[in-house]
Amino acid sequence: MVNLTIDGLKVSVPEGTTIMQAAATVGIDIPRLCFLKDINEISACKVCVVEIQGQNRVVTSCTTPVQEGLVVYTNSPKARSVRRTNVELILSQHDCLCATCVRSGNCSLQKLSNDLGIFDIPFERDVVDTPWNKDFPLIRDSKKCIKCMRCVQICDKVQDLHIWDVQNTGSRTTVDVAGNISIEDSKCSLCGQCITHCPVGALKERDDVPKVYEALADANKVTAVQVAPAVRTAWAEAFNMPEEMATEKRMAAALRRIGFDYVFDTSFAADVTIMEEANELLERLQNPEGYRWPMFTSCCPGWVSYVTKKYPSYVENLSTTKSPQQIFGAVLKSYFAEKKGLKPKEICSISVMPCVSKKREAALLSMRSSGTHDVDIVLTTREFIRLLRAEHINPATLPEEEFDNPLGKSTGAGVIFGATGGVMEAALRTAYFAMTGEEAPADAFVDVRGEKGRKVREFTIAGKTLRTCTVSGLGNAGRLIEDLQAGKVHYDFVEVMACPGGCVGGGGQPIHDGQERAGMLGQKLYKLDDARKLRQSHNNPDVVTLYNEYMEKPLSERAERLLHSNHVKEKNYLV
């Protein structure tokens, strides 16, 4: 152990610990902007400087290891002065129009500037504005970039996509799309992890809230909104509501208060997804020679985009079943429209998702089974929160309300879609029933849960061994495919989520700088699953009715037309 003193406190930590880590053990939080543990530890911002007794120069605490007998001052006049100057230099190249920034009130640079009492910038302003396609689902505002390199590192080290890179040198150093190409021509999957790990407002999703207002104001449009399972884990955080009040039904009430004509739960469509995908898996298992193995899940558009762009030879391994968002849109503008005597074009189909990639998915040419967009507008969880605030809605004051019918019921299987392993577990519950005629024990497939980047399990069902693999994070997905190509591993069924931890850790979720919250949010979904009376998709009465009245059976001709997609066409976008 190494012994040192930090701000007058005695500290004892293992050798190799940085000063920043050592300070944290005694409750001292050293300010920083660029630091992300194990991802971005490059001292790019020079904000975490501290003074060491007996040394003339300050040092960066995130990269300086402890030494025996050090006396450290984290906020001495010298450290504070250097920190202030460094922040002022950053601000001199930053668009400081905070009132019109999407991260106002949730910006690390804004908070740091206020904490340091910086109310004027003594350096010449030099803000670079680089053109960007504002129709693309991911928006980069170069005027706000602080060159912290977090986006570069999260994309390289975690997602292994290498979309961002450093350009130019010296004072003109900046970050842009790698290879001098446009973002549209890159292999960006729109996972949005660069957005949630940016400490400022340099990266954000395209703002589609104005489109919602336009639809709500159109007397000739029937507005129907669906909300994804993962959204319910985080939507109420901005309103400081206790967990027991932040319920699904209060969320439904809040959506209805905004003015939507119909409010639905995407978990219903997740149950439909399982009906199709589980039966697709069973068909493949019965005719193994006719298919490529393993079968990949296809409900994550970031993952589907990744495969089509980076490993196109594996597109045939993808399940053809659409994502729950798109299945709901297709059912809404066919089955539901007929029941209500509406034409598809009379319905504005809106979704609230924890994901940025869903914006692009909704615009695919292959997602127009109703003859028009099956989903017209996609909002992230963050946009939903902004919409509630704009409407001056306080969810805590609302009574609980049910989702609308006939597409309102869902099971626990549909709810857990938002956590890594959830799709796998939900599909296995239904596959088990189809193969044995009996319900699986409640804990039969819980081993697929967990935050581990790749989790392998085998299950024996009706005498057959099913080899499964659950993966989250595109970096892990890439390593999986490399192992498959090399013949190192063999699986029957593989679930992949683009975002680490699954949709609960999606690029459209509320941002908590420096925190990885997917594991905690995923547990909320499993609690909801435990509380559900119905926990298997095939037992959802609304799903049973849908098939009896309209789809006939899973994989029927109508189901194939409405609920399935040819992923080879995935790159054909409308935006």
Side-chain angles (χ1 to χ4, degrees):
M1 299 295 282
V2 178
N3 300 294
L4 68 158
T5 303
I6 303 179
D7 291 347
L9 299 176
K10 300 294 183 182
V11 183
S12 182
V13 292
E15 185 177 356
T17 303
T18 64
I19 291 175
M20 179 182 286
Q21 292 170 330
T25 65
V26 289
I28 299 173
D29 186 25
I30 299 176
R32 67 270 198 166
L33 278 174
C34 68
F35 178 81
L36 282 177
K37 182 172 173 53
D38 300 327
I39 297 172
N40 199 43
E41 301 180 359
I42 59 176
S43 67
C45 67
K46 302 296 188 292
V47 169
C48 69
V49 292
V50 297
E51 181 181 1
I52 296 177
Q53 190 177 77
Q55 295 188 15
N56 292 326
R57 301 177 62 183
V58 295
V59 299
T60 51
S61 62
C62 70
T63 58
T64 304
V66 296
Q67 295 180 30
E68 184 67 30
L70 282 185
V71 177
V72 179
Y73 303 100
T74 68
N75 205 33
S76 66
K78 180 187 289 187
R80 190 164 57 247
S81 175
V82 174
R83 181 177 297 136
R84 181 186 179 94
T85 298
N86 289 342
V87 173
E88 288 172 339
L89 286 168
I90 291 171
L91 291 170
S92 72
Q93 296 184 336
H94 179 75
D95 174 3
C96 297
L97 298 175
C98 297
T100 55
C101 179
V102 72
R103 292 291 296 276
S104 183
N106 183 25
C107 170
S108 296
L109 178 59
Q110 185 183 51
K111 181 181 185 303
L112 184 57
S113 301
N114 286 330
D115 290 349
L116 288 170
I118 299 175
F119 306 117
D120 191 19
I121 303 172
F123 302 103
E124 182 181 352
R125 302 295 303 280
D126 184 16
V127 180
V128 177
D129 189 5
T130 304
W132 192 267
N133 178 5
K134 298 300 175 63
D135 289 327
F136 195 71
L138 185 152
I139 305 295
R140 180 177 184 270
D141 187 346
S142 61
K143 302 189 302 299
K144 295 187 180 297
C145 179
I146 62 171
K147 295 90 174 173
C148 69
M149 309 305 165
R150 281 190 182 186
C151 59
V152 176
Q153 300 280 35
I154 199 77
C155 195
D156 287 2
K157 293 182 178 178
V158 177
Q159 299 299 70
D160 196 26
L161 280 168
H162 309 278
I163 302 302
W164 307 106
D165 202 359
V166 178
Q167 296 191 1
N168 303 323
T169 58
S171 63
R172 307 303 297 179
T173 299
T174 188
V175 174
D176 208 339
V177 181
N180 292 315
I181 62 175
S182 68
I183 188 68
E184 299 92 333
D185 294 331
S186 74
K187 296 186 184 298
C188 178
S189 69
L190 283 170
C191 67
Q193 292 301 303
C194 57
I195 298 176
T196 56
H197 289 82
C198 177
V200 293
L203 292 163
K204 61 184 179 181
E205 71 272 36
R206 182 186 67 219
D207 181 16
D208 289 325
V209 171
K211 296 177 185 177
V212 172
Y213 275 124
E214 184 179 350
L216 290 170
D218 189 342
N220 297 316
K221 287 287 186 182
V222 173
T223 55
V225 64
Q226 55 166 306
V227 57
V231 174
R232 70 204 63 202
T233 66
W235 72 281
E237 290 174 352
F239 303 96
N240 297 316
M241 290 170 59
E243 186 173 341
E244 62 271 16
M245 289 192 67
T247 63
E248 301 164 293
K249 293 180 180 180
R250 193 161 277 113
M251 179 178 65
L255 286 162
R256 198 167 282 117
R257 185 63 62 89
I258 289 171
F260 297 111
D261 296 311
Y262 294 98
V263 178
F264 296 112
D265 190 348
T266 310
S267 300
F268 163 84
D271 282 331
V272 179
T273 300
I274 288 302
M275 295 299 291
E276 296 297 319
E277 195 164 74
N279 279 279
E280 190 179 351
L281 175 63
L282 292 175
E283 181 180 290
R284 290 185 181 218
L285 290 171
Q286 291 165 3
N287 302 283
E289 297 81 11
Y291 296 95
R292 290 276 305 270
W293 294 93
M295 185 179 101
F296 292 135
T297 58
S298 57
C299 57
C300 172
W303 155 239
V304 172
S305 176
Y306 177 82
V307 173
T308 56
K309 292 180 179 182
K310 198 165 183 179
Y311 298 99
S313 64
Y314 277 83
V315 168
E316 292 181 33
N317 293 67
L318 288 165
S319 161
T320 62
T321 304
K322 292 179 181 178
S323 72
Q325 170 181 271
Q326 295 306 134
I327 280 183
F328 197 97
V331 172
L332 179 73
K333 291 195 174 184
S334 58
Y335 173 69
F336 181 81
E338 288 185 20
K339 275 189 167 294
K340 297 297 181 180
L342 297 168
K343 297 177 181 178
K345 65 180 181 180
E346 294 175 328
I347 300 175
C348 182
S349 173
I350 301 154
S351 70
V352 180
M353 296 284 141
C355 177
V356 179
S357 192
K358 291 288 185 183
K359 289 178 180 280
R360 181 165 61 183
E361 180 188 40
L364 297 179
L365 291 172
S366 56
M367 299 299 175
R368 294 164 59 90
S369 58
S370 61
T372 181
H373 294 285
D374 293 328
V375 176
D376 299 291
I377 306 170
V378 179
L379 300 181
T380 63
T381 309
R382 294 190 294 270
E383 287 174 287
F384 172 35
I385 293 168
R386 293 202 297 271
L387 187 56
L388 287 172
R389 284 176 161 168
E391 290 295 297
H392 309 293
I393 296 172
N394 181 1
T397 65
L398 301 179
E400 292 187 327
E401 297 179 8
E402 299 288 345
F403 288 100
D404 284 304
N405 283 311
L407 313 177
K409 290 186 175 64
S410 62
T411 70
V415 169
I416 61 176
F417 256 60
T420 179
V423 179
M424 174 71 72
E425 184 172 353
L428 292 176
R429 290 178 189 178
T430 289
Y432 184 98
F433 178 80
M435 294 173 71
T436 67
E438 299 176 355
E439 299 294 355
D443 60 350
F445 306 113
V446 295
D447 279 354
V448 301
R449 300 179 184 181
E451 297 178 70
K452 191 175 179 180
R454 189 197 299 189
K455 197 165 189 179
V456 177
R457 290 292 184 272
E458 288 189 359
F459 300 98
T460 301
I461 305 175
K464 294 185 178 180
T465 299
L466 192 67
R467 296 164 297 180
T468 73
C469 179
T470 304
V471 179
S472 75
L474 291 176
N476 291 320
R479 286 183 282 275
L480 166 68
I481 292 183
E482 297 294 336
D483 286 348
L484 288 170
Q485 287 178 326
K488 295 180 179 179
V489 295
H490 302 277
Y491 306 116
D492 299 307
F493 189 28
V494 176
E495 179 210 293
V496 181
M497 293 290 184
C499 296
C503 305
V504 286
Q509 290 283 71
I511 298 172
H512 296 264
D513 194 13
Q515 299 181 33
E516 303 297 337
R517 306 171 71 247
M520 179 269 289
L521 296 180
Q523 289 304 312
K524 290 186 178 183
L525 295 182
Y526 288 119
K527 288 181 181 178
L528 291 173
D529 172 41
D530 289 338
R532 282 284 205 277
K533 292 182 179 179
L534 298 177
R535 302 184 64 217
Q536 304 86 12
S537 297
H538 53 273
N539 289 328
N540 184 333
D542 281 7
V543 170
V544 172
T545 300
L546 172 67
Y547 280 101
N548 288 340
E549 293 185 354
Y550 199 72
M551 296 295 176
E552 185 182 350
K553 63 180 181 178
L555 309 183
S556 68
E557 182 179 346
R558 178 173 277 176
E560 289 282 357
R561 179 170 58 83
L562 292 175
L563 311 181
H564 293 255
S565 173
N566 181 356
H567 297 298
V568 174
K569 298 179 181 178
E570 197 271 349
K571 60 185 178 182
N572 295 324
Y573 307 118
L574 296 177
V575 294

